[in-house]
Amino acid sequence: MKLGVCAHVFYPLGRGPEAFAAAVAQAAELGFEAIELPVDARSPFIDLDDALAGGHARIAETVRGAGLTISALSNHQEGQLLLGPHGVDTDAIHAGSAEVKQRYAHDRLVKTAELARRLEVDVVCGFTGCEDYSRWFPWPLEDGYERMVPQFRAVMMPVLDELAARGVRFAHECHPRQFAYNLETAQLALAAVDQHPALAFNLDPANLLLAGMDPVVFIAELGARIAHVHGKDGELVAHHAARSGLLAHGAPHRRDRGFRFRVPGWGDLSWRRLISELQLARFTGVIAVEHEDPTMSPREGLVQAVRHLAPLILRDPVPEARWW
Amino acid sequence: MKLGVCAHVFYPLGRGPEAFAAAVAQAAELGFEAIELPVDARSPFIDLDDALAGGHARIAETVRGAGLTISALSNHQEGQLLLGPHGVDTDAIHAGSAEVKQRYAHDRLVKTAELARRLEVDVVCGFTGCEDYSRWFPWPLEDGYERMVPQFRAVMMPVLDELAARGVRFAHECHPRQFAYNLETAQLALAAVDQHPALAFNLDPANLLLAGMDPVVFIAELGARIAHVHGKDGELVAHHAARSGLLAHGAPHRRDRGFRFRVPGWGDLSWRRLISELQLARFTGVIAVEHEDPTMSPREGLVQAVRHLAPLILRDPVPEARWW
Amino acid sequence: MKLGVCAHVFYPLGRGPEAFAAAVAQAAELGFEAIELPVDARSPFIDLDDALAGGHARIAETVRGAGLTISALSNHQEGQLLLGPHGVDTDAIHAGSAEVKQRYAHDRLVKTAELARRLEVDVVCGFTGCEDYSRWFPWPLEDGYERMVPQFRAVMMPVLDELAARGVRFAHECHPRQFAYNLETAQLALAAVDQHPALAFNLDPANLLLAGMDPVVFIAELGARIAHVHGKDGELVAHHAARSGLLAHGAPHRRDRGFRFRVPGWGDLSWRRLISELQLARFTGVIAVEHEDPTMSPREGLVQAVRHLAPLILRDPVPEARWW
Amino acid sequence: MKLGVCAHVFYPLGRGPEAFAAAVAQAAELGFEAIELPVDARSPFIDLDDALAGGHARIAETVRGAGLTISALSNHQEGQLLLGPHGVDTDAIHAGSAEVKQRYAHDRLVKTAELARRLEVDVVCGFTGCEDYSRWFPWPLEDGYERMVPQFRAVMMPVLDELAARGVRFAHECHPRQFAYNLETAQLALAAVDQHPALAFNLDPANLLLAGMDPVVFIAELGARIAHVHGKDGELVAHHAARSGLLAHGAPHRRDRGFRFRVPGWGDLSWRRLISELQLARFTGVIAVEHEDPTMSPREGLVQAVRHLAPLILRDPVPEARWW
Amino acid sequence: MKLGVCAHVFYPLGRGPEAFAAAVAQAAELGFEAIELPVDARSPFIDLDDALAGGHARIAETVRGAGLTISALSNHQEGQLLLGPHGVDTDAIHAGSAEVKQRYAHDRLVKTAELARRLEVDVVCGFTGCEDYSRWFPWPLEDGYERMVPQFRAVMMPVLDELAARGVRFAHECHPRQFAYNLETAQLALAAVDQHPALAFNLDPANLLLAGMDPVVFIAELGARIAHVHGKDGELVAHHAARSGLLAHGAPHRRDRGFRFRVPGWGDLSWRRLISELQLARFTGVIAVEHEDPTMSPREGLVQAVRHLAPLILRDPVPEARWW
Amino acid sequence: MKLGVCAHVFYPLGRGPEAFAAAVAQAAELGFEAIELPVDARSPFIDLDDALAGGHARIAETVRGAGLTISALSNHQEGQLLLGPHGVDTDAIHAGSAEVKQRYAHDRLVKTAELARRLEVDVVCGFTGCEDYSRWFPWPLEDGYERMVPQFRAVMMPVLDELAARGVRFAHECHPRQFAYNLETAQLALAAVDQHPALAFNLDPANLLLAGMDPVVFIAELGARIAHVHGKDGELVAHHAARSGLLAHGAPHRRDRGFRFRVPGWGDLSWRRLISELQLARFTGVIAVEHEDPTMSPREGLVQAVRHLAPLILRDPVPEARWW
């Protein structure tokens, strides 16, 4: 295992190659060994078309120059358009009809995978979206969730084939408003695409906590499909949870929410349990800190995350036998 | 407080006045004192138009004849069409465009209220629906939930005015896929309609448990707005919850769900805590058992519910002072 | 074990022999087998001097006539004056100097014991008071609590001797504002009076809960000294405790207290654990319901208490050996 | 489901047919519907050889006459000799060499099955014993437990074949000192005998609690193999557990044990969770109260067990679909 | 936020300016950034009268010279005399009648504030005392606590006015034997002095834990009134709590107490929760370690406290908006 | 207190003096201050006979040269043969009859003690074995455990006398398959040998956790008898415990066990609670990390253990009085 960071936390540093270089340098200085690079249109650091047109060399050089590696490219924003929702909720990502949005998402993910191939990165993290996530509740349409399976398959198979052709796995991040948001729906997704070898997962344990499940069990059952891990924690805010519950609506920075994302160590997750199970699953990839903690500045959140996680990263393999 | 039952559990008894009479008789025989009557088009017992055309007298007589009272009329099915979702999810309730569905819902709720008035019932329980409940999560649209407030107001004010004109309160049931699904959104709903006196709540503590909040706090803060209570319990199924979490998708009868509704006493709720707080809120209405427990037959579920709840119903008022 | 009731809950029935007879009759009708009779000056049923002057026969007859027994006489009010506090806090019990108050308390307790003797009751429940209960916290006076030991001994030894002479044990009730308020101070009290055989305890598990200790351990260690038990429960009110804590100040009927007394079954105590340990301690006396639950009327609270406790009362002795 | 009782609790009633009739009558009077009959040599009611020689008709008549059914024959004592331990620990059951003991056990179990067949009972509950149960801990012999598998198979296959030939299932009770003592070893046992159809389980949830596992998961995974259930509870005695732990040594009646068996309702098990999962597993057999509670007399323990369990017994099948 | 230390832990270093300089140097060397200075008559470092007569310059210089700041002056000892108790409990602080003690307290607090002003420190931490803290329990005097409100107001208003005139806030520390000892009484105190702007709080979360409440809720509700924080933890000693409960009497060093104060990290408090809420309350002051842990030497306790707290101190402000 | 390490973790380094020197050097480099040396025949580092024949000087020199001390010699392997089990389970340790095995164990323990004496080490850690550990369950032999007491005494008294003669204490490690495996049986063992001064304990809190008891209570009651401590943690593996329970059978490296040993900090133990109680018991010896964690390599496990434990080791004595 290695410790990485998701580059979105450095967006305040500005736009363009210098800002990107500053971001990478800061990541290295803080003690990270790898970086996850979002490449959707919102990224101030990477222009996907430009990178494919030759800019990728400079990206690779910048990262390597700082002594880092790229743990994954990611494209959550545009992936959401694959299955939607396709209305106003996603207009800020790409305006247009459902068809237009879906086509755009497909193309952008393929481009993302192509860039990954050129950068010798074998994971693309992202979302798939979901036509109507609220259908997890079986009313008014009892089979509402199951009805979405064919569409999931129809949209995802071509994407997965394209990625597989480039030697890249799509690491879906279970999360609210995605078709796969917990262990059971992750398994449903795998079944829907005939266990396609290119479908993997970006384990974000805080998202699974928000679904009320135990992320360690996700590792125990689907460990071989975990291609990337997010170092993100979640806190059921004890003194507010009685009022808003787990499913707190409204802006993440609202002070009195019953649930908020936190940097690792400041939430309810036991990173020792998580890392132990990742170790037993022979996971040797990157845990990339994704800082969405509304209580800490970008830099201070990273400092705290490194302080908690770095000492826990296991680097030796599990012993195969008793040595004593 | 009194103990009642929601009539939907008797639907297997058949259709028409005899079936209805049998349902009421069974309710009385099981020990219930009141009955909540759904009047949407799915009801095998009540035809709303027919009742308004004079049938209401027979309804009243049937209920009175069994020694019961009507705790509330309810219309969750059609209420859902007020705010939707308006697509295929609700086509089975009433097909048509969003406008058609909303208009239908409005008319049916007004008719429900009118029938309530004629039956001398002052509560209509129901749903309001929600354009897109999954917007509680603030992404991709950070202000997605807040954007639904104006529509909620626009649709609900006329409904509430109509009900108020008939001396009836609308008791919304906080529930997944409703605009108001927890304490905070219930307060948001009240604010959206300027604290309209006709907006009340049908407290279903199992639904609040599913949102991860404490239903007792709902009573502590909004007790004066509680017009009706559902006797329904919920169970976080300990040995499955690690896999599906709280937000288990798929059919309610699926055996391995991490959450299921239960009859009172067989779930995680403390009915003593709930009843104590209702008592302190000076609630003197009806707790109507709503049996949606997938492990028990209709009749056996009611027997169990009565066995647990009946001995806990408090009938005397809270003493205003120390007597010793 | 038998189930009894403390007569103070019947005070609203009025004053005098008829009211007393009505109280006893109601106790019997509700299913109680014994009654604890307070005999302090506040009692509307018993006038201590009058009873000693011959009235005791009528008391005995009234109780026996209803098929009950007297589990204990009690005198908490006046016992408090033994050690105080002796200022305004106790003026309503008996006005005067500290010396006057203490002398009064001594005399009244001896009279109580004398009446017990005549009624063939061998337990007097009560309080001893405490000069300054807040001294449990060792500041500003580190040895504040220990300083009160000599006074405790000086005042209590004569009382205990008087009771012993009448074949009566004094069952002190550990409670806030008493010298002995938890297991450790109960043991300190026993040590202070050289393990005087007349010092016993009236176990009120709700009071011990309020001290933050486990009342079952009190039974496990001091079971042989338990002469009487109060059937009183306590609730750490989950949704208020974060604000007021365990030590909520103010009137018992204040709705938002973090702690309140409850009738058995409606609080946090496990009566099965309590009764199991009493059984193992070979306790064969009376559990007398003391209803101070601010949420229920006098009668309804008793109904609830009987409903919870009566089915749990064990009447056979612990088997001395394995029978299978 | 039905409520039964294991006859061993009536052994104090005496020996012979009259005592047996009294036992059955008392079971009926207490509200039980079925009885589990131990038939080992210690039984004062059943002489196995005599019953096979014709006495069985009278047994059947006695039971039927009281309106009961026989839920199972049981033979834990002699079954223990199958796998031992074969030293002094089991001499009181049957003295002799290991070979002699094992042969005796085999013969007695076959006789037990033969009697079951004649009584039209299809379940024999019992133990299999274990060569050395302490080998669950993998030291000094790391593969100590696995080494016992061949012996288990060799001894059990003939027994299971004999039972199968008589239409009887052997319901092993997971318990300390048995080869199968938790869910995993129950599955190991099934594998060892090639999933022999005659191997079933007598679910005693208190024994599983003592192993530290969740008995509900046993039902969820092996429900179809559960042929009989023991109504026995277990209590991790909170105030003693810190000292003795779960594995308290010494006599069951020792007051300060950290774990003791209890009658249902007085221990830590949730019978509602157990019964819900049995219901979902379509279990329609008998829950037979096995009273080994050291705090209660034989009769009082049964009264308590019936009081807790009878109201929870579900008699209708699980509904196969939603009815509302 | 910054990390400080309360100087009382250095009292063993001796008396006078050199000892004081040594204390300050040790504080700096251990990693503290600020120091809280008690100035009551027990202080070996500060003589209040002498400091006011000009010694204050040297104090300031000593602290500044070590690179520290003064987070607050404190005067708990003498503040206790404001409201008492005025008997023997406080004779060691200042002997005399109640009037004499109260006058002394008033004068000393004003002097403390004056010294604070000269040292450019804007917080005086302290106690107010309480006539009879045990009156939180509403018996024998039901309104006992409320009766103390007028006296609180009468005594505190002049003190607060004097402090306000010097630009200093009085930071009361909720604690046993103080009028304000939990969140509710803190709010009662604010109401009693008409929300006087000079009344603030020195948050000592261990004291609030001892009251059974959640100190994080104190911050959530009264955050703007928190002027200073004590870094002190508390441990409900699991293996002793069943016997002494939360309200353990006797000397703090008694080994078997059910509650003891600890240095941060060694008790039950979550400093991450506390610091998160302080951060959300925009608290930018000092957390001063107050070491009263009976298990550790003065220096080792400080080492442990720094080791736990220093890495958690947040120095950047809460981001006002989402940056990604 | 000091931090040490048990040398068995270095066995992969090879055999002989160089390997031993490398082990000691690595221990020092990792930050340990002491080493526990197993001297049974399996040790690749120490040949007991050779050491007694003069090799001890070199051992002492090697350890001293690396700046370490020897915290204890240990001989668990051969000690097991004292009481067995004496069958195939222990053949790999020393083959032969029960008598041969026991004699061998006695001799080897005496030699171990003699070597300890020469190395100026006053503790020998080890096991005593147990004839049949599964007899803790009182069936089929109710007094099975008690029957083993005389044998325990007969075997242990001579061993203890021999050790005492050499100024060495035998520190038995409570553990499965030992006569003393929890607090109660440790006290039973002490009683069996008349509180022999040479019988002490090597506290391994993970083993006590496995017995279900609280290791802190062991310290609170038997602190003065603790001569050595193992730094070993245990994890009740939350997501597997429902299936295997606490008593998981089979190899320690099996991934899905419900219980596994862990290095300190990665299991369920609170080392702060343990160290606090050791501190209060005035324990000034060594906590030696015993790494049997199946998830980590030998070296990485030690790094993690040091990272967790080293900052918590208390080096100053408990203050005897309040200093402030």
Side-chain angles (χ1 to χ4, degrees), chain A residues 79-87 90 128-132 177-178, chain B residues 140:
Chain A
Q80 185 78 33
L81 296 181
L82 281 173
L83 291 158
H86 285 133
T90 50
T128 67
C130 185
E131 187 182 340
D132 185 355
R177 307 200 81 170
Q178 310 307 316

Side-chain angles (χ1 to χ4, degrees), chain C residues 138-139 142 322, chain F residues 138-139 142 322:
Chain C
W139 195 87
E142 177 155 339
R322 219 161 159 166
Chain F
W139 194 87
E142 178 155 338
R322 217 161 160 167

Side-chain angles (χ1 to χ4, degrees), chain B residues 91-104:
Chain B
D91 276 358
I93 301 172
H94 191 75
S97 68
E99 201 166 83
V100 165
K101 287 183 174 183
Q102 186 185 308
R103 165 65 27 206
Y104 176 76

